[in-house]
Amino acid sequence: MAQALSLARLALGQVSPNPAVGALIVNNDEIVGQGYTQPPGSDHAEIVALKQASERARGGVMYVTLEPCCHYGRTPPCTQAIIAAGIREVYLATLDANHLVSGRGKEELEEAGIKVHLGEHEAEARQINEGYLKFITEGTPFVTAKFAISLDGKIATRSGDSKWITSEAARKQAHQLRYINDAIMVGVNTVLIDDPRLTVRCNSKSGTVNKQPLRVIVDSNGHTPLTARLFAEPGRTLLALGRTLRPGEKAAFTRLGAEILELPSIDGRVDLRGLLKALGERGITSVLVEGGGILLGSLFDIGLADKVIAFIAPIIIGGKEARTAVAGRGVDNVVDSLRLDRVTVEGLGEDLMVCGYMAAKNRDSNS
């Protein structure tokens, strides 16, 4: 199953809105077939493994990181292919939360006489597909808040300089995060100050990059400049506005290839709940929010972040006017601070990467 999970990770960034799944088949203590999910409309992991195993699949054992589908979508049901191939035993890491499957795939295999084991490495399997699992149950994308800070919590100096706070190793990891997410979101001030490209500039784990995430600019008042570098980059850009553009403004952005999404304004800012709902309707399963502090602060204040990834560099910037990662309303008492669960800390060069999930009570209290 550990090998199947490694295969599943190779599919991340290429198969959304489908889940990233890995599968392998063992017969007589030999791996005879293995594979991972291919882009939408192509083979699922189980089918790739079965095709590779061919006749050697008969009487074998399959290890798969997510319950096989049992319905017709873009492709036929994987359960029927597993049964027809003569697999005698299947190990499932976790059930599929999709209401079209959700235990039915397991039952179908068992009804065909296949012995099914459930739950091996379940936590890892669910983490790989955390974006898919939220999207398929709630219809909105999984939101990761990501920022890079100095040891004293700054994202830039008082003059606005921010290149580079973290090391090359941390920046490479940040690009990998972009690669595995469907969209990158920033506030308009980040565009005005940093003029970022918001593209993936690294190789994927399975080869070279052949897709770019959707770039989402949250711009309450329509201040995004037509000269912003990101408009010249490959991939799509969505401009989420808190006001209605004049026809000439809309035409100018449309000529640059940007999609315009006009949303209600709440307290002078874009309705972020409405934005995430609209992204879900577009099939976006995961969003990496890269700042700035106003946007991140709003997400935390209203409980829309699911996960936090912070890169911490061993430097001191100082300055009371230096920019911090999270603005917003915040809390009045330390006891009310937002808390992370399942926290991990990893070294990346000379930096640290702290990763954790928003505690359920934080989200519930703001929903």
Side-chain angles (χ1 to χ4, degrees):
M1 188 62 78
Q3 172 67 6
L5 290 167
S6 295
L7 290 166
R9 292 185 183 96
L10 294 176
L12 285 170
Q14 291 295 314
V15 300
S16 181
N18 290 340
V21 181
L24 63 92
I25 301 167
V26 176
N27 205 333
N28 293 324
D29 296 325
E30 178 188 356
I31 296 176
V32 296
Q34 57 185 331
Y36 52 88
T37 313
Q38 300 301 295
S42 302
D43 289 338
H44 291 186
E46 301 94 321
I47 305 304
V48 176
L50 287 169
K51 285 181 176 179
Q52 188 179 112
S54 189
E55 287 303 313
R56 293 181 295 173
R58 190 161 301 277
V61 179
M62 175 176 282
Y63 295 81
V64 61
T65 60
L66 187 71
E67 179 182 18
C69 65
C70 55
H71 65 285
Y72 281 88
R74 289 189 179 96
T75 59
C78 289
T79 49
Q80 292 301 309
I82 293 169
I83 294 167
I87 295 291
R88 63 177 174 82
E89 201 168 351
V90 173
Y91 285 80
L92 305 178
T94 188
L95 296 178
D96 190 340
N98 187 337
H99 72 278
L100 296 174
V101 188
S102 193
R104 294 183 180 89
K106 176 177 177 288
E107 291 174 3
E108 192 169 306
L109 295 176
E110 290 173 329
E111 288 170 0
I114 296 174
K115 188 174 182 179
V116 179
H117 309 267
L118 176 65
E120 186 177 347
H121 290 281
E122 181 171 15
E124 296 99 313
R126 294 185 68 84
Q127 182 179 26
I128 288 171
N129 280 306
E130 56 195 12
Y132 164 79
L133 292 171
K134 181 184 178 185
F135 172 77
I136 205 67
T137 54
E138 300 182 24
T140 54
F142 186 90
V143 177
T144 299
K146 169 253 170 185
F147 47 87
I149 57 175
S150 62
L151 201 57
D152 56 337
K154 310 298 185 182
I155 61 172
T157 67
R158 63 187 179 187
S159 69
D161 181 57
S162 61
K163 291 185 171 54
W164 294 101
I165 287 178
T166 53
S167 66
E168 184 178 349
R171 296 197 298 273
K172 183 177 180 181
Q173 181 65 25
H175 276 279
Q176 182 62 28
L177 289 173
R178 286 183 177 182
Y179 176 76
I180 65 175
N181 279 273
D182 291 347
I184 307 169
M185 183 185 294
V186 298
V188 65
N189 286 339
T190 296
V191 177
L192 292 170
I193 296 169
D194 298 334
D195 196 16
R197 293 159 63 185
L198 299 184
T199 54
V200 176
R201 299 187 295 279
C202 67
N203 286 343
S204 71
K205 291 182 179 179
S206 58
T208 57
V209 172
N210 55 24
K211 72 102 184 178
Q212 291 290 342
L214 173 69
R215 295 181 290 269
V216 180
I217 308 170
V218 181
D219 185 356
S220 300
N221 298 305
H223 291 159
T224 301
L226 295 170
T227 55
R229 286 200 304 171
L230 55 84
F231 289 124
E233 296 294 331
R236 298 177 298 139
T237 299
L238 184 147
L239 189 59
L241 296 162
R243 70 170 176 87
T244 301
L245 288 181
R246 294 185 292 274
E249 293 176 307
K250 184 173 292 188
F253 283 115
T254 301
R255 282 194 296 271
L256 291 172
E259 178 186 357
I260 305 300
L261 177 63
E262 296 167 338
L263 292 162
S265 177
I266 299 178
D267 296 328
R269 293 186 180 145
V270 170
D271 175 10
L272 294 177
R273 291 188 190 279
L275 173 55
L276 291 177
K277 182 175 182 292
L279 291 176
E281 291 169 350
R282 287 163 170 75
I284 299 297
T285 69
S286 56
V287 177
L288 181 68
V289 183
E290 296 196 357
I294 295 173
L295 176 58
L296 287 171
S298 296
L299 285 170
F300 286 124
D301 282 345
I302 58 180
L304 295 180
D306 298 295
K307 184 177 183 178
V308 176
I309 298 179
F311 296 93
I312 304 174
I315 60 173
I316 305 292
I317 290 178
K320 65 179 181 180
E321 296 175 358
R323 291 158 55 196
T324 58
V326 181
R329 183 177 65 251
V331 299
D332 293 323
N333 303 298
V334 172
V335 70
D336 298 320
S337 298
L338 305 182
R339 185 166 294 277
L340 301 182
D341 290 334
R342 293 177 282 158
V343 176
T344 60
V345 180
E346 178 182 345
L348 291 172
E350 61 183 13
D351 303 323
L352 292 179
M353 181 176 72
V354 179
C355 175
Y357 295 83
M358 299 302 298
K361 69 179 184 67
N362 299 149
R363 296 194 302 273
D364 295 342
S365 64
N366 291 292
S367 60

